[in-house]
């Protein structure tokens, strides 16, 4: 079974549109994340979220918003898409504390804004 | 703020040669250090973390607090090692997520 799954795998959309990327984890982890990988393969944290706290990377535009319907899901909503938003977005999850705090990643969503 | 530096954007070695991917970090506290690997168009996978001190696929990495380094090494490279390698750091309980280096693209030539 896939531990962290994202949908869709590919997303092509026009500038100005609003889109969502879904993420689900079946590991029972308490913390989920969104990362952005740009065209130069540079990975940067966007959000970190558990049921108590949302930590936002201050460089992320407020057009991006995470929404968590429950502990196993963290969706990413993007409003008014811009060309510069084109990237691969990775969802991840981990468990805070304990002996195994490894972060597990989804397969990524390749977003192309045209 | 913490930072992870991978000085080599691209590293090309021949099959059977030793490999060393460099990673330096800056953080005032005691971080957790990791190496993640990303094969072509696949998800990131954990390769090593300094806490476990284990060897995976022949790779090892030792945390050197004096030099603030966590270099990844393998004595004999194999073609299937070709991938992007990311050094990453986590602080505190991990709620802030991972801080990644810019990655090193390792190419193993036959």
């Amino acid at each position: 079974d896939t531990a962290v799954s994202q949908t869709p795998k590919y997303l092509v959309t026009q500038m100005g549109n609003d889109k969502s990327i879904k993420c689900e984890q079946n590991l029972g982890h308490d913390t989920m994340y969104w990362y952005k990988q740009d065209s130069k393969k540079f990975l940067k944290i966007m959000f970190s979220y558990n049921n108590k706290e949302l930590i936002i990377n201050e460089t992320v535009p407020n057009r991006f918003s995470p929404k968590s319907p429950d502990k196993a899901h963290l969706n990413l909503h993007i409003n008014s898409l811009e060309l510069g938003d084109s990237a691969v977005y990775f969802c991840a999850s981990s468990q805070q504390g304990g002996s195994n705090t490894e972060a597990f990643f989804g397969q990524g969503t390749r977003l192309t804004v045209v | 703020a913490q930072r992870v530096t991978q000085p080599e954007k691209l590293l090309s070695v021949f099959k059977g040669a030793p490999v060393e991917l460099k990673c330096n970090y800056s953080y005032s506290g005691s971080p957790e250090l990791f190496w993640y690997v990303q094969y072509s168009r696949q998800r990131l996978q954990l390769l090593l973390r300094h806490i476990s001190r284990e060897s995976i696929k022949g790779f090892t990495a030792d945390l050197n607090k004096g030099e603030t380094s966590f270099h990844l090494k393998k004595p004999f490279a194999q073609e299937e090692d070709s991938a992007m390698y990311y050094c990453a750091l986590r602080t505190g309980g991990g709620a802030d997520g991972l801080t990644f280096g810019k990655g090193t693209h390792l190419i193993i030539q036959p």
Side-chain angles (χ1 to χ4, degrees):
Chain A
D1 279 354
T2 303
V4 182
S5 59
Q6 298 175 225
T7 54
K9 193 171 180 180
Y10 300 96
L11 181 56
V12 181
T13 188
Q14 290 186 323
M15 276 196 309
N17 284 351
D18 302 337
K19 289 293 178 185
S20 294
I21 306 171
K22 294 185 177 181
C23 178
E24 176 182 5
Q25 55 97 3
N26 62 7
L27 297 164
H29 287 162
D30 61 3
T31 306
M32 296 183 72
Y33 313 84
W34 278 103
Y35 290 85
K36 178 180 179 181
Q37 185 179 44
D38 63 22
S39 58
K40 296 182 179 178
K41 303 289 188 182
F42 185 37
L43 273 161
K44 198 166 185 181
I45 182 82
M46 299 177 72
F47 302 102
S48 164
Y49 183 83
N50 64 21
N51 55 10
K52 299 173 186 174
E53 189 177 13
L54 171 66
I55 300 174
I56 302 172
N57 184 317
E58 60 194 18
T59 66
V60 175
N62 57 15
R63 297 181 294 103
F64 290 78
S65 58
K67 297 223 178 352
S68 180
D70 56 58
K71 197 174 164 182
H73 296 82
L74 183 66
N75 303 325
L76 183 64
H77 294 264
I78 316 170
N79 295 323
S80 303
L81 277 155
E82 300 177 357
L83 292 176
D85 298 333
S86 296
V88 181
Y89 293 85
F90 286 97
C91 177
S93 72
S94 70
Q95 182 67 27
Q96 298 299 304
S99 59
N100 188 354
T101 56
E102 174 185 348
F104 288 81
F105 285 79
Q107 79 276 24
T109 296
R110 184 173 293 274
L111 171 66
T112 304
V113 182
V114 298
Chain B
Q2 62 269 23
R3 187 167 60 205
V4 178
T5 303
Q6 292 179 250
E8 301 132 335
K9 192 174 177 180
L10 174 68
L11 183 63
S12 179
V13 301
F14 287 102
K15 178 182 171 183
V19 172
E20 183 179 40
L21 301 171
K22 291 187 167 51
C23 172
N24 288 89
Y25 67 91
S26 63
Y27 178 60
S28 56
S30 295
E32 285 186 82
L33 274 297
F34 304 84
W35 277 99
Y36 277 82
V37 60
Q38 185 180 28
Y39 300 103
S40 180
R41 298 223 168 191
Q42 293 188 26
R43 73 184 68 211
L44 277 87
Q45 304 170 44
L46 179 67
L47 183 64
L48 285 175
R49 50 184 174 164
H50 87 272
I51 291 177
S52 59
R53 299 182 62 83
E54 56 193 345
S55 172
I56 304 291
K57 299 184 180 181
F59 285 97
T60 59
D62 289 318
L63 178 61
N64 186 323
K65 291 186 178 180
E67 295 182 358
T68 59
S69 68
F70 189 56
H71 303 326
L72 183 67
K73 298 177 184 179
K74 184 170 182 176
F76 307 104
Q78 297 171 289
E79 287 185 70
E80 54 264 35
D81 295 331
S82 295
M84 280 291 292
Y85 289 80
Y86 292 94
C87 184
L89 175 155
R90 182 164 63 200
T91 63
D96 292 352
L98 293 163
T99 299
F100 284 93
K102 292 192 174 182
T104 298
H105 187 188
L106 177 64
I107 297 174
I108 307 301
Q109 298 189 49

